[in-house]
Amino acid sequence: MPTITSSEELASLLDEGAPIALLDVREHGEYNLAHIPGACPLPRRLIEYRLPRLVPNRATRIIVCDDDGRRAALALGTLERMGYENGSVLDGGINRWTSLGYGSEWGVNVPSKDFGERLQVEQRVPEITAEELEAWISRGEQFVMVDSRTPEEHNNFCIPGSRSLPGGELALRIWDMMDTEDTPVVVHCAGRTRSIVGTGLLQRMGVRQIYGLRNGTMGWQLAGFDLEKGSGRVTLNAPSVDALGKAEAFGRRVAEEDGVNYLTVGGLQRLLSEQCKENVYLVDVRTREEFESGHIPGFWWHPGGQAVQESDNVVGVKAGQIVFCCDGIARASVTGSFFRQMGYPNVQVVEGGTRAWEEAGMDLESGIRDAGPATLEEAQACVSSMPSGDVASMLEGSAAALFVGTSGEFSEGHPPGSRWVARGSLELLVDGIVLSKSTPLVIMSPEGRESMLAAFALVEMGYENVVSLEGGTRGWAAEGRPLEMGLSGVMTPPDDLVATGSGRNFAGAIEYLRWEEELGRKYERD
């Protein structure tokens, strides 16, 4: 039997700010509908991939929750297999939590959303409506419009004419994009948060005419205007000496004002030698290209704007030590400032960043390492990986095929006849799908790694003939083998994904924007 934590005990731990990790292992769609405030979203299918970064110290007290405790108990077994020795299951899950009168909230990335709306209220961040912006464009007004989302999101769709400038790069590069200091600047994202945060940053930095596009691309579409797709305007040039100087001075100022501490190379080395004793988060906030060309060993990449947007996906224990790094201090200091404003108590910046590390005679590491999910080697030792041709022959016979990726990945293409099963619930559902443990089973996912882990779980349950599709369904498709599209065979609406950006219909966009704005009501003053 798993170790149990009661709702009463969890509430007490949260109230006192205890150094715990509260992990909600339901799917993102379920988490979005209702979750315990302070819970980190970590779907069970992603535990092996993300937990080592979310909770680096394996001695941390971890409380796992879901709806009723059954998936949490399965997830706890994965934690223990990974070496986490102090885990427990929330008794009765969020169902019992709410039945006892404790609060819940809905939405994803709530800490950053709440912060953005607080910033909007307290700092009176200037806004421009979609109708006003469209009039500027129609009149040929001269202004700079930047998209503070990721380059990938920007290239997917954006306001016509905008340029990609992710939030973590704004302070460093905005001055080089303006003809004069009086040039108007408009910041947009898909909704509200990254626009508000980016606009508020430039407002604080002293940009004279700065506006956030109210409600972003969703507001633009709701006003009846079309988005641009595939802009390609995602190149980031090196900042000028003047822009770099302004950004570094601003970074140092906000670090001092907001309580961000600086860490010397020697201090970082001492921290690295002791990080196994506590939760230490080492985050490089530069662009992907910069990180790949050379970063301090032990740091992982999460660009500054996205780190703020997804803080609850970056830091699993709020009381942990967070260390940000760039190539100087500007981008790391600005990111650290936002984390301090969001209530993270222990935030530091590497003084001088990667340049100081190299100047001290230390080597940088190149590339982005992907060691694969924990426990994968154990799974590979027990489960056969079968090439597509052999799997095709199996499917012509009596074999059953289970797809354990997301419902969206299943809809994009799966071998005909395969059935979608959410990996997080696989052990709870498989008996109703596969009636005999001697039935040949083919488990598949897009890349093949997730299916290997799922197949391993079935082997441990006693299924006698289980294989994983080698190379995943992407390898299957690359060989020109047939694919079936859509949610074939799925009888109930999937609850694993959350619609975002242009994926929402108009009613969904309106409801989402109302929810975001409502978060700021509690900060309003008469």
Side-chain angles (χ1 to χ4, degrees), residues 260-261 263 268 271 278-285 299-300 307 311 314-325 332 335-336 339-340 342-350:
V260 178
N261 296 315
L263 190 64
L268 175 59
L271 184 63
E278 57 181 315
N279 286 294
V280 178
Y281 300 90
L282 306 171
V283 186
D284 190 315
V285 299
F299 278 74
W300 54 286
S311 61
V314 175
V315 177
V317 181
K318 195 169 185 177
Q321 295 263 11
I322 309 171
V323 181
F324 293 114
C325 179
T335 307
F339 268 72
R340 286 289 294 132
M342 288 192 289
Y344 291 86
N346 303 310
V347 181
Q348 301 182 85
V349 165
V350 179

Side-chain angles (χ1 to χ4, degrees), residues 134-306:
E134 197 280 332
W136 280 18
I137 295 172
S138 296
R139 292 197 302 266
E141 299 277 358
Q142 296 301 304
F143 64 96
V144 173
M145 179 166 47
V146 295
D147 183 346
S148 61
R149 300 173 299 159
T150 66
E152 294 77 15
E153 290 175 286
H154 170 83
N155 212 36
N156 190 25
F157 60 86
C158 65
I159 305 299
S162 75
R163 294 173 59 185
S164 177
L165 187 61
E169 303 295 318
L170 281 166
L172 182 62
R173 304 175 191 274
I174 191 62
W175 297 109
D176 287 339
M177 301 178 71
M178 301 165 59
D179 292 332
T180 72
E181 293 191 356
D182 291 317
T183 300
V185 176
V186 176
V187 181
H188 86 77
C189 64
R192 294 176 57 82
T193 303
R194 284 176 283 184
S195 171
I196 293 170
V197 171
T199 304
L201 170 69
L202 297 184
Q203 179 188 35
R204 188 177 179 185
M205 196 173 184
V207 176
R208 294 174 183 173
Q209 294 194 64
I210 178 66
Y211 308 91
L213 175 60
R214 180 174 175 80
N215 297 332
T217 59
M218 281 188 274
W220 183 263
Q221 285 187 297
L222 289 171
F225 306 128
D226 293 330
L227 296 172
E228 179 183 3
K229 298 184 178 180
S231 88
R233 295 183 292 271
V234 297
T235 302
L236 295 175
N237 297 320
S240 66
V241 173
D242 181 61
L244 178 60
K246 289 179 178 179
E248 296 270 298
F250 176 68
R252 201 169 291 281
R253 174 166 71 85
V254 296
E256 181 178 354
E257 291 174 353
D258 297 332
V260 178
N261 296 315
Y262 285 102
L263 190 64
T264 65
V265 169
L268 175 59
Q269 288 175 309
R270 288 190 293 273
L271 184 63
L272 290 172
S273 68
E274 299 177 356
Q275 64 177 322
C276 61
K277 301 176 183 178
E278 57 181 315
N279 286 294
V280 178
Y281 300 90
L282 306 171
V283 186
D284 190 315
V285 299
R286 298 174 298 161
T287 67
R288 183 185 183 96
E289 292 74 18
E290 289 175 290
F291 180 84
E292 287 185 326
S293 68
H295 57 270
I296 298 174
F299 278 74
W300 54 286
W301 175 67
H302 210 118
Q306 286 305 102

Side-chain angles (χ1 to χ4, degrees), residues 394 398-401 433-442 462-467:
M394 285 185 66
S398 60
I433 301 171
V434 182
L435 301 182
S436 171
K437 290 188 175 180
S438 62
T439 299
L441 286 176
V442 178
Y463 286 84
E464 301 166 5
N465 187 2
V466 185
V467 299

